[in-house]
Structures are given as structure tokens and as C-alpha cells.
Amino acid sequence: MAKIKVDGTEIEVPDHYTLLQAAEEAGAEIPRFCFHERLSIAGNCRMCLVEVKGGPPKPAASCAMGVRDLRPGPNGEAPEIFTNTPMVKKAREGVMEFLLINHPLDCPICDQGGECDLQDQAMAYGVDSSRYAENKRAVEDKYIGPLVKTIMTRCIHCTRCVRFTTEVAGISELGLVGRGEDAEITTYLEHAMTSELQGNVIDLCPVGALTSRPYAFQARPWELTKTETIDVMDAVGSAIRVDTRGREVMRILPRVNDAVNEEWISDKTRFVWDGLRTQRLDRPYVRRDGRLQPASWAEAFEAIRARLEGVEGSRVGAIAGDLSAVEEMWAMKRLMGALGSTNLDARQDGAKLDPADGRGSYLFNTTIAGIEDADALLIIGANPRFEAPVLNARIRKRWRQGGFAIGMVGENADLRYPVAYLGAGPQTLSDIEGANGGFYEALKRAERPMIIVGQGALTGANGAEVLAAAAALAREVGAVSEGWNGFNVLHTAASRVGALDIGFVPGEGGKTAAEMAGGAVDVLFNLSADEIEIAPGPFVVYLGTHGDRGAHRADVILPGAAYTEKSGTWVNTEGRVQTGARGAFPPGDAREDWAVIRALSAVLGHTLPFDSLVSLRREVHEAIPHLARGGIAPADAGVVTTLADRAGTPSGESFVSALGDFYLTNPIARASKVMAECSRLAKAEHLEAAE
């Protein structure tokens, strides 16, 4: 720790702090454009100037000068800096004047207007006139893809975007070329950016040079109602803010949550909002004469009741989809129990995970933030770059700190950091030392080794064997020890951990999702499960939001609410219980899913014992106490040993990623024009690389 005086107030701060951080610790406000807490220091903008007592007779850039660089006073007094002297004020006014020399005066038409750092700081630290009468320079706009719009004349060369793509996203797609007046931020030959995290440069840009292309000219920030909620595009559970105007979602932005997503979100999370508007189911439908025809709620419920008459409970089943909240899955489970059915499953991809093995067998036990404490990593059957882009950025962050060996078994993909490729399939797990002895030794030598098992390794017929083999390897290399559990399962479905927690899996004698979809039941309740093909035969009741695969196969459609239109609980891949809030209302006659199931239960003569979301949650919390506490309930690490004891010699085909197309993984994404364009570009990029 070091002592320092800021504007006469003495404070104690860590000696690795910059002057900017020390000043903010003392309560002083320091303007900045180029400095960002999660990026390297550039010192470009010079807006953060302060006066250093005893230093040179000129202001110093507080972002680039450390506390340890200061000299004490002649008698050993604590070094002193000033943030509001006449020298500092004049310097900041001069910097602002220079920044505005070439900046266009187009605030009324700029999408950044109302939330622009340059506007705010010009008001606070600038002057009301300029001494420059020369013509402003103009810079040609660059095409960098369908997501980020560029108006490069506004650029102030802070290089935040360059540092983000290079350091966090892991690909050098933006750079500064030229010098002086000719300096420009651009991509190589104006090629579209390929990073699945590129949208974050929109938030980083302190001016209107990089803005959201789909959101361009859609709304002003003061028009929007802001709702803090949770993302469900993957199983990370990123903290997001949904901005709505009236009934429509206008944009989705990240919130800061250091334990999960820091302040980044994937492009699918950010830009999927246009899919919430299109191809929506806004009224019930019943199939008559081979065609789905509009119906009232009463007619739809009556059609279901009539079909269920005389059907045994063992011939009724339910499958939950990847976006379902805990509340509707619990309501569906209770309804199935009332009908005498044990045919439940939320694992529509066939993952061999069983809550009977204990929570530790299906959680990301290290936690996402815990990745930064690991010192070696083995990835088995996963591609975290696409399955969990924000989590992958955390792995890259740890790799950049050094001393972090990474090995991979499965598809040899570009993860944006170097890996030791060990093999493609389960046979590699049996002889991992022979596959790459150097990496195996590094894994075994590590104090806190970490293993990530992806859904690509668990969805095959030998998934249970692979899980046990991974657990045995974890035990062998010491990944589970006092205070450290390095055995992790990476999920791709937001609903999966919550479903396993509440036991939404086949009961005694129950059918799996694959068996039910194959025709093992007569009546099948489909709770937004659009990633599974249902064979002809069963009478399908689809409760969902979009006219996707599940709705096309349905005999009765019950319109539900999307994740932005309901209050729901989701449990992320690390077991973190999070509650999402309603930002808008469902369209037309659509209702929240749990309410639809509750109303249907009354028509079927099995009225469920809750009539409000509060009473439903009370019942869930009484049955599953850790869902009431929120946060992460630690899992028993002994589960890994139990799994390891079952290990044999796994065999089977090579692992493949659980995701087909990153941009089109669920009904909302498939309804999005923006995601369709991103998918097209990604495929073209892949073909170009293959050639």
C-alpha cells in the first residue's frame, strides 16, 4: 500500500494503482476517453491530465502514471496530486478544444446522442467557443459488418476498439493506420469483422464513431424503459439490460457483473432482439382437417382435454426446451404428476447427465470467475468460443496472464488462444499421456488444474462413460482438492441446470426425450423444445413463442411469453440462481407459460395448487431450498470421486460441438434477420478459409 494526497486528502491505495484510480478512490472525478479498466493503457486522449506537486511544470496523464512513480516531499511527506487547479482546468479545456477541431457537429442525428461521453465531458470540462475556423476533415466510413455501423469522421482515436478486439476478443481485426491528420481506424481491406464479441466495441466507443447498425435511428435513450434482467441465449446467464419502447424491445445492453460476464455480452445476446418481433405466436391454434387454424383459449384447452380422455398416464409425456424458466418447468412437472406420468425430460439433445449423481456432476464447479485462479485447463468435447463466448473471453484473459497450459480433446477449432491439441475422441481420454505427454505433465503438475466437459462429449451414446472418464482424469491429476473443485460441465442451454435441479428428468419407468419424440407416447407436451424432431404419431401440444419447428409439428399451439416478457428464474452453468424481470408484454393473446399450464390444469380436472407467481415460487423454494437463496449453492465435491469409480475405457466416435450454427441456435435467433445475415457471413468466411 502507498500513501498519496489527492486535493489535500490523504488516502492509502495499492501501489500498483494509476493516479487516475487513486484519484477516484479519493472521490475526485477524472474525465477520460481512452482509459478503460479492462483494457491496456494507451494514454492517447490526454483528457485525464492532473497536476503533480513537485513534478515538471506541466500536467501529467493520470492514466499512464503510477502511484509508485511519484516522489515523496523533501521531508518524506506523501506525494501530492491536484485534480482541479487552474493548470488542470486550462489543460483539459485545451485538450477538449483539440478533440472538437475535426469532430462533426451532428449530435442531433447521432445515435450516441444522450449517452455520449464526448457530449458530457464537453459540457463539464470544455469551453463554449473554438478558435479554429478552418474546414473540418472528413473520413470515409468503413464497412465492418452487419452489426457495427461506422461514422469515422467522429472518431477521436482513443483506440478502445482496437485494444478490445486484440486483447479480449483475441483477433486483430481493427487497427490504426496512417499518422497525424491521416490516421484512421479500419479493418484489413474493410473486411467484415468475424468476432462473436464484436458488438462490445459499440459500448466502448466514447463517441458516435461505432454504433449499432440494426438500432440505427430507432429510438433515443430517454424514450426507453430500462429493465435489468438475465440473458438466456447460452448457459452463462450474462447480466443484461433490456430497453423497451411501448411493447417492443428496442435494444439489449450488458450490465456489469464481475462474477459472470464482467461487462461483455456475445453478439447473439446483443442483436437477437429483432427476432422477438417476428414470426410470433400471438393466439392459440388447433389442427383441423390437417391444417392449423386459429382458435380461442377455450377451444384449444377443450381439444387437449378431449384427446387426453382415456389415455393412460404412461402414454403422456413432456419435453422442456432450452429457454424455459424454472417456473414453467415446475408447473409442467406438477401437471404431469397429476396425470400420472413420469415421462419428463429437458435434455432434448440427449446429454447423459443425471441429477441422481449429485449437483457436482453437472455444474461448472470452478465458477466462471474461478477460471482466473486455475493454472492448467483441459477442454473435452466443447467449443467455448461459440458455446459460451463470454466464458471463453475469461479463459483468454487467464491465458494472457501467463503460466496457463491449455489442452483440447474434440474438434480442433480456433478458440482465439493457443491450445495443445490432443485428439478427437474418447480414446484420447484413455491415453492422454501418450497423446501429449508434455501437456499431461503440466496438467498433473498444476496446483489448481481444471477440466471442462462440453455437451459435445455427453450427447452421444457413450456420454455417461465419457463423463466418468473425465471425472477419473480429474481425480488422477488432482483437480479436486481442499478448497478447489476443477471438474466442470459446460452447458449450452439456459434451462438445463434449473431443469436438473428440479428433477425434470424421467422418473421410474419414464421415457427420455428421444423416446418420446420417437413415438413412445400418445400425447406429448412440448414446452418450447424446438431442437428435436418429433416423429409422426403423438398428439403434440406446443407451448412456445415462435412459429418454429415445434409449432409446425404441433396439433395444438398455446402462445407463450419470451424471456423478455416474463419474470422467471434461470440457473446458469455454474449453478448461479438468477431471476429475470419482465421488460415488455407478450403479443396478442399470448400469456406467461406457467399461467397457461395452470389454466389448462383446471380444464383437465387437476387444478394445480397455485394461482400466482408468488405462490408458485414459494412451492418451488420449499421443495428446492437453494433456489430461494440465489447465488451459487456449492456442490459436494465427493460426487467427482463417485463418478470416477464408475470409469471404464470409453469408446465411440469423435466429439463434435453441440452447436450447429452459433447464430441460429433457438427460435428467437432463427426469427432474427440480423442473426440470419451473421450466419450467412460466417458460412462464407468458413468456405473462404477452407479454400
Side-chain angles (χ1 to χ4, degrees):
M1 301 293 281
K3 288 186 178 179
I4 181 175
K5 272 188 168 183
V6 180
D7 295 333
T9 303
E10 185 172 304
I11 60 169
E12 201 170 358
V13 297
D15 61 1
H16 64 267
Y17 267 31
T18 62
L19 297 189
L20 188 150
Q21 291 170 308
E24 294 203 328
E25 194 76 17
E29 184 177 332
I30 305 290
R32 86 292 298 269
F33 291 113
C34 68
F35 177 80
H36 192 276
E37 290 80 358
R38 303 187 197 278
L39 303 176
S40 61
I41 293 170
N44 291 342
C45 71
R46 320 308 285 180
M47 195 65 204
C48 63
L49 297 172
V50 297
E51 182 179 348
V52 179
K53 185 176 182 180
K58 63 178 183 179
S62 60
C63 72
M65 190 172 188
V67 169
R68 60 164 66 100
D69 298 328
L70 297 178
R71 292 176 296 178
N75 300 315
E77 301 98 334
E80 190 166 1
I81 65 172
F82 301 97
T83 66
N84 53 13
T85 61
M87 176 200 285
V88 173
K89 185 173 185 295
K90 183 178 180 182
R92 288 175 180 167
E93 288 175 354
V95 170
M96 183 58 68
E97 189 175 14
F98 271 107
L99 287 175
L100 294 177
I101 287 173
N102 286 311
H103 194 82
L105 300 178
D106 60 354
C107 296
I109 63 163
C110 177
D111 272 316
Q112 197 85 342
E115 48 191 8
C116 174
D117 290 349
L118 188 62
Q119 278 184 333
D120 296 341
Q121 293 182 39
M123 286 292 294
Y125 304 104
V127 292
D128 61 355
S129 61
S130 173
R131 291 171 287 178
Y132 290 85
E134 290 82 0
N135 291 332
K136 294 177 181 288
R137 75 162 189 171
V139 181
E140 187 178 349
D141 295 342
K142 311 292 189 298
Y143 174 77
I144 60 175
L147 303 181
V148 183
K149 179 184 177 184
T150 63
I151 298 106
M152 300 313 293
T153 304
R154 299 172 184 159
C155 179
I156 62 171
H157 300 161
C158 70
T159 68
R160 279 186 180 182
C161 55
V162 176
R163 284 173 283 150
F164 172 83
T165 55
T166 304
E167 298 165 13
V168 179
I171 181 168
S172 299
E173 292 193 307
L174 288 175
L176 187 138
V177 299
R179 303 182 71 178
E181 190 181 61
D182 297 323
E184 296 183 26
I185 301 288
T186 183
T187 60
Y188 179 68
L189 297 181
E190 297 194 23
H191 198 279
M193 295 172 70
T194 61
S195 172
E196 55 286 338
L197 293 168
Q198 63 181 277
N200 291 288
V201 301
I202 297 167
D203 298 328
L204 289 171
C205 185
V207 295
L210 302 176
T211 57
S212 170
R213 188 178 290 275
Y215 176 70
F217 310 126
Q218 293 288 313
R220 286 299 194 182
W222 53 84
E223 298 178 295
L224 304 176
T225 301
K226 301 165 179 63
T227 306
E228 295 185 349
T229 184
I230 302 300
D231 172 54
V232 299
M233 291 297 111
D234 55 32
V236 173
S238 301
I240 60 172
R241 193 187 85 195
V242 174
D243 288 358
T244 56
R245 184 175 63 191
R247 299 176 70 96
E248 287 193 346
V249 174
M250 304 303 295
R251 64 177 179 179
I252 295 173
L253 299 176
R255 288 188 291 124
V256 177
N257 185 344
D258 287 327
V260 180
N261 60 306
E262 297 184 299
E263 59 188 85
W264 319 125
I265 54 175
S266 73
D267 293 339
K268 185 163 59 175
T269 297
R270 183 185 297 270
F271 295 106
V272 79
W273 51 266
D274 70 314
L276 292 165
R277 304 177 181 179
T278 54
Q279 298 184 22
R280 288 300 302 269
L281 300 172
D282 59 359
R283 63 185 302 173
Y285 288 84
V286 175
R287 191 176 295 276
R288 301 188 184 100
D289 301 323
R291 298 185 63 184
L292 286 167
Q293 298 180 13
S296 66
W297 280 104
E299 290 171 336
F301 286 166
E302 177 57 28
I304 298 169
R305 188 200 63 77
R307 182 62 182 84
L308 279 170
E309 274 188 4
V311 178
E312 297 179 5
S314 61
R315 302 296 297 175
V316 180
I319 304 176
D322 293 347
L323 308 184
S324 300
V326 167
E327 286 82 359
E328 56 247 33
M329 289 190 290
W330 181 265
M332 182 60 75
K333 181 183 178 184
R334 289 296 309 273
L335 179 59
M336 290 295 103
L339 294 173
S341 173
T342 58
N343 302 322
L344 300 166
D345 208 348
R347 304 162 302 180
Q348 54 177 329
D349 57 2
K352 304 301 186 291
L353 295 168
D354 192 342
D357 292 331
R359 291 188 85 224
S361 68
Y362 59 82
L363 291 187
F364 200 94
N365 294 291
T366 305
T367 73
I368 295 170
I371 292 172
E372 297 184 32
D373 298 323
D375 46 13
L377 168 63
L378 174 62
I379 301 171
I380 302 171
N383 185 338
R385 177 183 157 198
F386 294 119
E387 295 172 18
V390 173
L391 184 145
N392 195 57
R394 184 86 71 153
I395 295 174
R396 175 177 165 79
K397 178 182 179 182
R398 174 63 188 89
W399 169 79
R400 291 184 70 239
Q401 294 168 1
F404 191 52
I406 305 174
M408 186 175 188
V409 178
E411 289 182 313
N412 191 7
D414 176 14
L415 300 182
R416 305 303 197 200
Y417 43 79
V419 301
Y421 185 65
L422 309 178
Q427 294 83 0
T428 306
L429 295 180
S430 306
D431 184 26
I432 195 166
E433 186 174 1
N436 189 314
F439 173 77
Y440 176 78
E441 289 303 318
L443 189 66
K444 199 163 186 179
R445 194 168 53 245
E447 292 183 18
R448 292 178 299 278
M450 182 175 161
I451 292 175
I452 296 178
V453 185
Q455 300 304 296
L458 302 176
T459 52
N462 62 336
E465 298 173 14
V466 172
L467 185 67
L473 180 60
R475 181 172 63 179
E476 182 182 333
V477 300
V480 180
S481 58
E482 185 67 32
W484 178 257
N485 187 346
F487 180 76
N488 304 293
V489 174
L490 178 61
H491 292 274
T492 57
S495 66
R496 186 66 52 81
V497 175
L500 295 172
D501 278 353
I502 66 171
F504 203 95
V505 293
E508 187 176 349
K511 307 289 194 303
T512 64
E515 291 170 337
M516 287 186 276
V521 294
D522 294 331
V523 179
L524 179 60
F525 288 89
N526 182 341
L527 195 58
S528 301
D530 291 272
E531 315 310 317
I532 188 169
E533 291 285 352
I534 301 174
F539 180 88
V540 179
V541 179
Y542 179 74
L543 173 53
T545 59
H546 286 72
D548 203 76
R549 184 181 300 147
H552 293 167
R553 172 61 186 84
D555 295 288
V556 175
I557 294 176
L558 306 176
Y563 70 106
T564 57
E565 300 160 359
K566 61 188 174 187
S567 177
T569 302
W570 285 272
V571 186
N572 77 348
T573 191
E574 59 183 347
R576 185 181 301 275
V577 181
Q578 302 183 110
T579 301
R582 176 197 291 159
F585 287 90
D589 291 336
R591 296 292 183 268
E592 293 188 36
D593 303 56
W594 73 266
V596 174
I597 297 169
R598 166 63 177 77
L600 175 61
S601 70
V603 174
L604 298 180
H606 300 284
T607 305
L608 297 176
F610 45 79
D611 53 9
S612 69
L613 188 59
V614 172
S615 57
L616 188 160
R617 280 182 174 156
R618 186 182 301 119
E619 183 178 299
V620 174
H621 295 164
E622 288 174 359
I624 319 288
H626 75 261
L627 294 178
R629 293 192 292 269
I632 301 175
D636 179 15
V639 166
V640 179
T641 301
T642 306
L643 278 175
D645 290 338
R646 301 206 302 248
T649 303
S651 60
E653 298 179 354
S654 300
F655 302 139
V656 293
S657 176
L659 296 185
D661 188 327
F662 167 69
Y663 295 103
L664 304 176
T665 55
N666 59 62
I668 303 174
R670 286 191 286 271
S672 166
K673 291 182 180 179
V674 177
M675 292 296 99
E677 176 65 12
C678 289
S679 174
R680 186 189 66 78
L681 284 174
K683 289 175 182 174
E685 181 79 21
H686 181 72
L687 289 173
E688 185 179 318
E691 292 173 358

